[in-house]
Amino acid sequence: MHCIQMTAVGDPDVLQPAQVPTPEPGPGQVRVRLAAAGINPVDAKVRANGLFNPDAQPPAILGCDGAGTIDAVGPGVEQLAPGQRVLFMNGGIGLEPGNYAEYAVLDARFVTPTPDAVDDVHAAAMPLVALTAWEALFDRVALQEGERVLIHAGAGGVGHVAIQLARQAGARVITTVSDPAKAEIVRELGAEAVIHYRDDDFVDAVEHWTAGEGVDVVLDTVGGEVCTRSLHALATYGRLVTILALPEDLDLHHARVHNLTLVQELMLSPMVLGRDDLRIHQTGILAECARRMAAGSLQVRVQETYPMAEAAAAHRRLEAGGLTGKLVLTLP
């Protein structure tokens, strides 16, 4: 089959076309003829820094997000059949082959049927960002109806999904953006208040919006100083969840005095740790998000698509920044 391999650790040019044997599904597995593969920042991090598996070496196939049509099933698979459209999050970090390829083989328990109303490109764009946003808001900090949440980078991949999920849960959303065009996007998605972080201090803006109380929850998608300063945007007993590593310079005295909860969200953990039970939980989240996409209540924005052969160009675009939607590879 045709694929794109990460031939070494390095810049986007290490992504090269290759031919490898077409995989066959084993017991409990399905083979998917891929139509599209989502591109995420983790893909670029793995390409630039190395595979998650320290024992694995390039070449490797990147891409965690995939969508397409089942074309073969292994022994013991009864709930799925060839011809069925599916989406999933699997592989791409050095443990199993990813989805920059014509075919993917994976455990049948980890695929979600794609609703007829959702096309393959948007299906492939959804899994990682939806899982990250859902787990961060609900599994990590248990966002509740009526609470106020600050979502950083609201027009970004995770941020734009998080705004919608938070609003659907009955929370009030304030978010940060870099320009007026992004401000318009996040307001359309349900943000009640918008902070232009290049012009206004987000801690001051939150204090003004909450009449000095602070927000109940912060979802940090930026890291570093933004994460550090976000502690001071929280109300007493507030919760901060970050999708990056917690910075070393956190004001832990402030966190202690105000009884703040600080947690991290890495949606890859179930795959890295080989926890099938947690991956089945994630598959349930994907099914619910797919249902909402089909109903029109959840949008996943796709900014650009690239043919698989142009994966390197797609990575360069990703690393240039400024995106207001996902990038997706399409397969013939």
Side-chain angles (χ1 to χ4, degrees):
M1 69 174 181
H2 296 287
C3 68
I4 297 294
Q5 286 186 334
M6 167 187 161
T7 58
V9 175
D11 63 25
D13 290 332
V14 304
L15 298 176
Q16 293 292 326
Q19 284 266 15
V20 300
T22 300
E24 295 294 334
Q29 294 182 321
V30 297
R31 185 174 67 196
V32 179
R33 175 67 165 89
L34 288 157
I39 300 175
N40 294 289
V42 68
D43 301 359
K45 291 177 182 178
V46 170
R47 189 211 73 232
N49 301 317
L51 303 169
F52 269 68
N53 181 0
D55 297 324
Q57 297 295 326
I61 300 174
L62 300 180
C64 300
D65 290 343
T69 303
I70 294 173
D71 83 327
V73 301
V77 176
E78 298 178 354
Q79 72 275 28
L80 297 166
Q84 188 166 5
R85 294 174 60 237
V86 294
L87 61 90
F88 56 88
M89 193 285 298
N90 188 75
I93 58 174
L95 302 173
E96 296 181 63
N99 302 309
Y100 295 5
E102 286 186 287
Y103 294 92
V105 165
L106 71 155
D107 192 314
R109 296 174 297 173
F110 306 152
V111 302
T112 297
T114 303
D116 290 341
V118 180
D119 63 69
D120 289 324
V121 167
H122 287 83
M126 182 267 281
L128 192 145
V129 292
L131 286 173
T132 300
W134 185 291
E135 290 187 349
L137 292 175
F138 305 129
D139 293 355
R140 302 285 87 80
V141 296
L143 181 68
Q144 300 295 310
E145 181 178 2
E147 289 191 312
R148 292 177 291 202
V149 54
L150 166 62
I151 297 172
H152 283 294
V158 173
H160 87 283
V161 173
I163 289 172
Q164 297 172 77
L165 295 179
R167 289 292 297 120
Q168 289 165 22
R172 300 173 61 191
V173 176
I174 184 170
T175 188
T176 58
V177 298
S178 60
D179 59 54
K182 291 179 180 178
E184 183 176 350
I185 290 170
V186 298
R187 288 191 186 279
E188 291 176 354
L189 294 174
E192 181 177 330
V194 181
I195 305 165
H196 294 264
Y197 68 83
R198 290 176 175 166
D199 301 322
D200 300 312
D201 181 272
F202 72 82
V203 176
D204 291 343
V206 166
E207 183 175 5
H208 177 74
W209 186 59
T210 62
E213 294 181 3
V215 292
D216 303 288
V217 168
V218 172
L219 171 54
D220 166 43
T221 66
V222 180
E225 183 183 5
V226 169
C227 182
T228 299
R229 298 196 63 246
S230 290
L231 292 185
H232 298 274
L234 281 168
T236 299
Y237 298 106
R239 294 101 72 199
L240 180 146
V241 55
T242 180
I243 67 172
L244 288 306
L246 286 168
E248 295 182 358
D249 61 348
L250 286 171
D251 187 348
L252 295 181
H253 175 72
H254 177 84
R256 170 69 171 161
V257 169
H258 290 273
N259 279 299
L260 304 181
T261 298
L262 314 178
V263 297
Q264 298 174 94
E265 160 61 21
L266 178 63
M267 55 74 58
L268 295 174
S269 292
M271 187 162 62
V272 172
L273 299 174
R275 289 287 302 273
D276 289 357
D277 57 333
L278 300 180
R279 296 197 65 188
I280 290 169
H281 169 67
Q282 289 186 326
T283 304
I285 295 171
L286 292 181
E288 173 60 21
C289 290
R291 185 193 67 77
R292 296 188 190 192
M293 290 177 70
S297 59
L298 178 63
Q299 300 178 37
V300 178
R301 293 175 59 88
V302 174
Q303 181 162 336
E304 297 173 25
T305 62
Y306 291 78
M308 184 174 68
E310 296 180 15
H315 273 231
R316 284 190 284 271
R317 177 65 187 92
L318 176 70
E319 293 179 323
L323 296 174
T324 58
K326 292 288 299 290
L327 302 180
V328 176
L329 293 183
T330 57
L331 291 96

